[in-house]
Amino acid sequence: MDKMEQQQLLLEIEKLNKAQVRIKRKTTFMLCVIALLVLITSTMAWFTLNSFASVENIQMDITTGVDLRVDMENHGSDIELYKKEITNEMINSYLSSKSKDALAQQLLDPVTTRDGISFSSENGSARNANEDTFLEFECYFIASKDMWVHLSSDDANDMEGTLVSTTESGLKAEIVQALRLSFEDSGSAAIYEPNKTTAVNGQTTFDLQTPMVYSNDTRLFHLDELQPKKVTIRLWAEGNDPQCDNDVQDANLTVRLLFSGTDENNVSFG
């Protein structure tokens, strides 16, 4: 190989090296763009406005099926002192000792949780209940016989079934898809996700069918005959839900919960 051929070969090698560098730079740039898109996608569900206004004007109605009673106070084993219904007024009375706002004035600022018990903001800092964050209150359930307690979507005995709803329209109506409720018993909680889709943040959730199908997956807790049990109920706007974005701010919300009992084979008592 003569000298000119050697020089030509060196020039070709130099061009090839420069092309490889350009390819590497383009690849690196594309990876950065992809990473940025992933970051944007993972955070866009959370509110970005600073108006500090989320779900408002919450209404809640809690009723129980046959052989099952509930109250916001522990009356021991005297089932006659318990009620068939928890009203907004009763929840407001409870909140008056825990919070500055009544139920209708509570704001649900987005939070997230894995277990339905401990909650945090988008940056990971812990959030406390009933401080314009998530709603929390305690109920005591008692039954006239041993039973598993479930939420029920069926109407029964002049009582309407479980439903999370809103009078909003358009994108704001998607608030019903961003909501979660948990029911804590003895350190563990079942999480109800109305209109359940893909799970977020490692949560294990359940939804209700209509007509109602009782199963082990819809069990909330067990009651022994005439033995009251404290259950902590929490309601929150799940920040990691795709529908929990600016579009649903200031939405109103109505929550109706019907609790029903079944035997060990998940056969309803009515």
Side-chain angles (χ1 to χ4, degrees), residues 3-200:
K3 187 174 182 180
M4 290 187 62
E5 289 177 338
Q6 290 178 348
Q7 289 178 340
Q8 184 66 31
L9 179 60
L10 290 174
L11 287 173
E12 293 296 331
I13 293 174
E14 184 178 359
K15 288 180 181 180
L16 180 60
N17 288 337
K18 288 181 178 179
Q20 289 176 336
V21 169
R22 285 196 297 270
I23 291 172
K24 288 180 181 179
R25 286 176 178 171
K26 289 181 180 179
T27 303
T28 302
F29 174 74
M30 288 304 298
L31 289 175
C32 289
V33 171
I34 292 171
L36 179 60
L37 289 174
V38 171
L39 178 62
I40 293 173
T41 301
S42 66
T43 59
M44 67 183 298
W46 294 78
F47 291 176
T48 58
L49 303 182
N50 295 319
S51 58
F52 196 68
S54 174
V55 182
E56 59 183 15
N57 192 22
I58 304 169
Q59 299 182 43
M60 182 168 288
D61 184 35
I62 299 174
T63 53
T64 58
V66 296
D67 305 309
L68 181 61
R69 299 286 184 92
V70 64
D71 207 312
M72 302 195 78
E73 296 182 32
N74 186 350
H75 301 293
S77 59
D78 190 346
I79 194 171
E80 298 301 323
L81 295 178
Y82 294 82
K83 302 173 178 63
K84 296 293 292 181
E85 183 178 8
I86 298 289
T87 64
N88 272 3
E89 290 72 21
M90 294 170 66
I91 298 175
N92 280 336
S93 179
Y94 176 92
L95 290 176
S96 66
S97 63
K98 306 286 184 179
S99 169
K100 60 182 174 64
D101 292 326
L103 184 61
Q105 284 75 50
Q106 288 287 330
L107 298 179
L108 298 183
D109 197 43
V111 293
T112 192
T113 179
R114 289 183 180 273
D115 57 8
I117 299 174
S118 301
F119 292 80
S120 62
S121 59
E122 186 178 12
N123 63 13
S125 59
R127 304 298 297 272
N128 297 320
N130 304 323
E131 296 180 357
D132 292 330
T133 51
F134 62 96
L135 181 66
E136 176 184 294
F137 58 93
E138 298 170 352
C139 290
Y140 291 86
F141 289 82
I142 191 170
S144 60
K145 61 179 73 174
D146 290 359
M147 67 170 60
W148 284 98
V149 178
H150 307 246
L151 283 181
S152 177
S153 60
D154 286 344
D155 297 349
N157 301 314
D158 298 323
M159 295 176 294
E160 296 180 297
T162 296
L163 181 66
V164 176
S165 62
T166 181
T167 59
E168 306 289 358
S169 60
L171 293 176
K172 190 175 286 191
E174 293 181 351
I175 184 59
V176 299
Q177 296 173 289
L179 265 291
R180 305 285 191 278
L181 289 107
S182 69
F183 306 87
E184 181 192 356
D185 160 39
S186 303
S188 62
I191 301 177
Y192 169 46
E193 180 183 350
N195 311 292
K196 180 178 178 179
T197 54
T198 303
V200 299

